[in-house]
Amino acid sequence: MVDAPRARRVAERIQQVVARMLDTRIKDPRLGFVTVTDVRVTGDLQHATVFYTVLGSDEERAASGAALESAKGVIRSEVGRQTGIRLTPTLEFVPDALPETAASLEETLREAAARDAEVAALAASATPAGEADPYRRDEPDDGDDEATENR
């Protein structure tokens, strides 16, 4: 059985190897500006999922995904050589949804800030529904004790 710290170390090493390979050895013209964001390895070290982001349009993302799939064998053999583990894990390249998630969160925060500004503007010009001072005050004592007792 493989312990979690070892799987984490192997994942970190795979991330380094894949990033270096994409930077120096893979010369596919379809490959855009790819960043390896995370690698997750199964507990038995047989499968590694490599998460990546691509800067650019949807077409560039699709082309970079195709380039990664075609270079998968070369990258896997280099991962096996540099990690030194007995069985080299299979690699799966998955586009990371982090940029899209961050963009949608930023849009939601912008909408919330705009709504807060509208509410603040309405509150600044609002007047109370009843009297300006809605709290009951004791009337000044004019010396009539009988009127005070009947209350």
Side-chain angles (χ1 to χ4, degrees):
M1 183 172 197
V2 176
D3 57 333
R6 181 169 185 225
R8 190 172 33 253
R9 285 192 312 268
V10 169
E12 289 172 1
R13 183 66 183 141
I14 290 172
Q15 182 174 359
Q16 293 169 355
V17 170
V18 170
R20 188 173 299 117
M21 288 282 297
L22 294 177
D23 189 35
T24 60
R25 294 216 11 225
I26 306 299
K27 300 297 180 192
D28 194 329
R30 299 174 294 175
L31 195 62
F33 186 68
V34 177
T35 303
V36 178
T37 56
D38 192 19
V39 174
R40 295 193 184 143
V41 178
T42 58
D44 60 357
L45 304 178
Q46 295 298 307
H47 183 74
T49 305
V50 179
F51 294 93
Y52 67 94
T53 59
V54 179
L55 188 65
S57 65
D58 289 336
E59 295 84 24
E60 291 171 336
R61 289 184 191 124
S64 294
L68 288 172
E69 286 299 317
S70 69
K72 186 186 291 188
V74 174
I75 295 171
R76 182 174 181 229
S77 63
E78 187 67 21
V79 165
R81 192 177 67 73
Q82 289 194 20
T83 57
I85 54 180
R86 185 170 62 92
L87 296 172
T88 303
T90 60
L91 298 178
E92 177 186 6
F93 290 97
V94 177
D96 200 350
L98 184 69
E100 291 83 16
T101 304
S104 70
L105 284 175
E106 285 179 10
E107 179 61 30
T108 303
L109 289 174
R110 270 194 293 276
E111 289 176 11
R115 289 180 185 161
D116 286 347
E118 289 175 13
V119 169
L122 289 174
S125 64
T127 57
E131 298 175 15
D133 187 12
Y135 298 105
R136 178 181 239 175
R137 303 272 188 232
D138 289 335
E139 296 176 12
D141 193 17
D142 59 352
D144 189 11
D145 290 336
E146 190 174 312
T148 312
E149 291 176 7
N150 290 337
R151 276 195 206 166

